[in-house]
Amino acid sequence: MDPATHQPDQARPAGYHERLRTPRWWYLAAVGVAVLLGLEFAVAISGWVAWAPFALLLPGALLTVWRLSSGSVSVDGATLRAGERSVAVTEIEQAIDLSPTELRRLVGRHSDPLAFTYIRSWVGPGVQLVLRPPADPPQLGRQAPGEPADARQAPGEPADPPQDDPLPAERLPEPYWVVSTRHPDQLLAALQAAQAAGSRSR
C-alpha cells in the first residue's frame, strides 16, 4: 500500500481536552460542612423537621463542588477553547509555560486589565497565550476622516482641543490570555501541532 495515502492522517493534529476538576477531597469537605450546618438546625428544631436541612444542604453542597469542576480547556482543530471563550490558534503568537508562582504573579499585581484570564486556583500551573496584535488597531481620541467640525464653533474661532473618546472594553484588543491547566506541556504540544497543520494547509 502506498505510504502517501496515509500522510493526511499522520498530519492530522491530535486534539486536547482537559476538565479542570476540583480535588476529590473537596466533596468530603462539602459533606462535612453540610452536616455541621444541618446539626445547627437539628439542635434548635425537634421532630422530623430537623432532617429537612440535611436534605437541602447535602445535595446543595455536592452540586456546588461539581459545578466548580465544569470548566474545561481544549484544542479542537484550529481553535483553542477556554470555558465559553475561543480563539483561533493562528492568532496565538507565543505560548509560555507558567509555574503556579508565575501564574499568580501574572494575574496579580502585574496583570493587564485587558487580558483574558481563565484560571482555577486549585489547578496550579497554566500557560500564557500572547495574541498577535490586530492589523488595524483602534485609535483613541481621533476625529474620523470627513467628520464635520462642531457647528456651534464660530468662523475664525480657535478649535477646541481634541477630547479622548475611550472605546468600550469589548472593542479593545486583548494582549494575552492566561489559562489554567494541569498539563502545560501537553497543551503547548497540541497548540504547536495545530499551528503546524494550519500552516501546511495554506
Side-chain angles (χ1 to χ4, degrees), residues 87-154:
V87 63
V89 296
T90 55
E91 298 297 324
I92 300 175
E93 185 175 28
Q94 186 181 11
I96 305 171
D97 186 353
L98 298 176
S99 66
T101 302
E102 293 170 336
L103 185 144
R104 288 193 298 268
R105 184 184 301 115
L106 190 59
V107 300
R109 57 183 300 183
H110 301 286
S111 63
D112 191 319
L114 297 180
F116 170 68
T117 58
Y118 189 76
I119 60 175
R120 298 294 184 267
S121 60
W122 57 85
V123 172
V127 295
Q128 179 186 13
L129 307 174
V130 181
L131 304 183
R132 300 183 187 277
D136 186 17
Q139 302 295 329
L140 300 180
R142 293 190 178 182
Q143 184 174 341
E147 182 179 353
D150 192 350
R152 295 174 297 179
Q153 181 179 339

Side-chain angles (χ1 to χ4, degrees), residues 15-133:
Y16 177 85
H17 181 82
E18 178 184 2
R19 185 86 174 267
L20 304 179
R21 301 180 185 275
T22 56
R24 295 182 179 179
W25 63 267
W26 281 32
Y27 288 95
L28 297 177
V31 171
V33 172
V35 170
L36 289 177
L37 292 177
L39 290 176
E40 294 289 338
F41 288 97
V43 171
I45 303 175
S46 59
W48 65 270
V49 184
W51 295 98
F54 293 96
L56 297 176
L57 292 172
L58 283 174
L62 295 175
L63 183 61
T64 300
V65 177
W66 176 83
R67 186 67 181 86
L68 291 174
S69 301
S70 62
S72 63
V73 177
S74 63
V75 178
D76 184 11
T79 305
L80 180 140
R81 304 182 186 278
E84 298 181 355
R85 297 287 302 274
S86 63
V87 63
V89 296
T90 55
E91 298 297 324
I92 300 175
E93 185 175 28
Q94 186 181 11
I96 305 171
D97 186 353
L98 298 176
S99 66
T101 302
E102 293 170 336
L103 185 144
R104 288 193 298 268
R105 184 184 301 115
L106 190 59
V107 300
R109 57 183 300 183
H110 301 286
S111 63
D112 191 319
L114 297 180
F116 170 68
T117 58
Y118 189 76
I119 60 175
R120 298 294 184 267
S121 60
W122 57 85
V123 172
V127 295
Q128 179 186 13
L129 307 174
V130 181
L131 304 183
R132 300 183 187 277

